[in-house]
Amino acid sequence: MIGDLVRPELQKLVPYVSHQIPYRIKLDANESPFELPESIRKKLADYFLKGPGLNIYPDNESVELRKTLAKYWNVNPDEVVVGTGSNQLIQLIITVFVGKGEKVVYPWPSFSMYKINTLIAGGEPVGVLLDKDKDFGFDTDNFIAAVKEERAKVAFLCNPNNPTGGMISSEDIERILKECSNSIIVVDEAYAEFCNESVIPLVKKYENLVVLRTFSKAYLLAGARCGYSISGPEIANEINKIRPTYNVSSLTQLIAQMVFEKQEEMQKMIQYLINQRGELEAGLKKIKDVYIYPSCANYVLIKVPKADEISKELEKRGILVRSFPGDPVLYDCIRITVGTKEENDIFLEEFSDIINNF
Ligand SMILES: *Cc1c(COP(=O)(O)O)cnc(C)c1O
């Protein structure tokens, strides 16, 4: 009975489940391995002891945080919208622009939320296949053709792409923005800190561009749920019309602000992880039967026989990685988040032990 009342396009969806399993080392969700700096913890303790408390609603417009972000990126505060993770902004952007039967185009494989949120809106998701035999490289002409042919309302680009790790050059993105001027182009830069490239400067030039950023990866705050969009003021205004009131809690606004102001420490952590990515790749190269896809992010995708069995065995040994059982393209792949040197070394040791004994 309840099922019959549900909108038809939602009936086949299943809830997103992230298993809470005990672990020794967590390399499955691209989180930062680092804890909040102690100075921030102390300020938080102070906030709880002396602050205004949580009986008062948060600042609905996240004014201070938006000012800080706008200054850093050299944009206007009215071009920044803050959400509970960039996931919320993905959903809001699709809700603003995509109606029943309208198309959303994205490269595939990529982040699953583009598809899921399109289905929730009643739109039609169109994945443009990346060529596995060419390291999942992005074909700009092919993508532009798809966006035009489908008359996509929105197109997503994940840069660097999750889970494959590859990049699209800013020049190619600019071509897409020009040639697909009738579509909203969303560039999800969740991992851009690890490649040092961004199309945020292009926001001034292209009114159809939205860039998404998150505090969940490089900025230590996956648990606080904070992300933001940078776009021209028109798109920002449209998102704000439907943004849930008081979406970002006062605690999240405060912590994000404090973390973002620690740029020097953050940049050190980012550089450390970029170096560790190199170390992890070097370690993986020494293991037989492993193919490594080039990565510009804080994870590495590899192809290996018996990927699913290997990840299950790793899990038994307390090491979580991401595998893709049943996926038509990624069934033989594993995505490993770059951790600390100690974590990566333990992973490499256990991983090569498993491969050598399978
Ligand atoms: C992790 C991730 C995000 C971040 O989502 P949040 O809601 O900000 O935690 C966004 N896009 C991609 C591609 C990701 O992998």
Side-chain angles (χ1 to χ4, degrees), residues 27-30 106-114 130 135-136 158-167 188 190-191 217 291-303 321-324 327 329-331 333-337:
L27 305 178
D28 64 337
N30 301 339
Y106 46 81
W108 193 254
S110 189
F111 193 43
S112 59
M113 290 302 153
Y114 313 140
L130 300 171
D135 284 340
F136 296 106
C158 187
N159 210 30
N161 190 45
N162 178 14
T164 58
M167 283 285 292
D188 184 344
Y191 303 98
K217 309 289 159 51
Y291 182 80
I292 307 165
Y293 294 99
S295 171
C296 305
N298 67 335
Y299 49 84
V300 178
L301 187 77
I302 59 170
K303 188 168 80 164
V321 294
R322 178 72 199 273
S323 65
F324 308 86
D327 186 288
V329 179
L330 298 173
Y331 61 91
C333 293
I334 297 177
R335 189 193 66 195
I336 306 131
T337 303

Side-chain angles (χ1 to χ4, degrees), residues 17-46:
V17 181
S18 90
H19 293 287
Q20 302 292 321
I21 15 184
Y23 59 83
R24 191 155 55 111
I25 299 176
K26 191 170 183 331
L27 305 178
D28 64 337
N30 301 339
E31 295 136 325
S32 173
F34 300 114
E35 286 279 7
L36 270 186
E38 176 144 342
S39 59
I40 293 184
R41 289 166 180 261
K42 290 206 168 117
K43 281 197 193 141
L44 274 175
D46 257 9

Side-chain angles (χ1 to χ4, degrees), residues 332-350:
D332 57 355
C333 293
I334 297 177
R335 189 193 66 195
I336 306 131
T337 303
V338 178
T340 62
K341 174 167 176 42
E342 294 71 27
E343 291 174 324
N344 300 335
D345 285 349
I346 296 172
F347 161 79
L348 284 168
E349 197 173 305
E350 299 283 0

Side-chain angles (χ1 to χ4, degrees), residues 44 49 93 104 159 174-175 204 245-246 249 278 323 355:
L44 274 175
L49 291 169
I93 291 163
V104 174
N159 210 30
E174 192 156 5
R175 257 188 68 206
K204 297 233 180 285
T245 318
Y246 304 128
S249 79
S323 65
I355 287 210

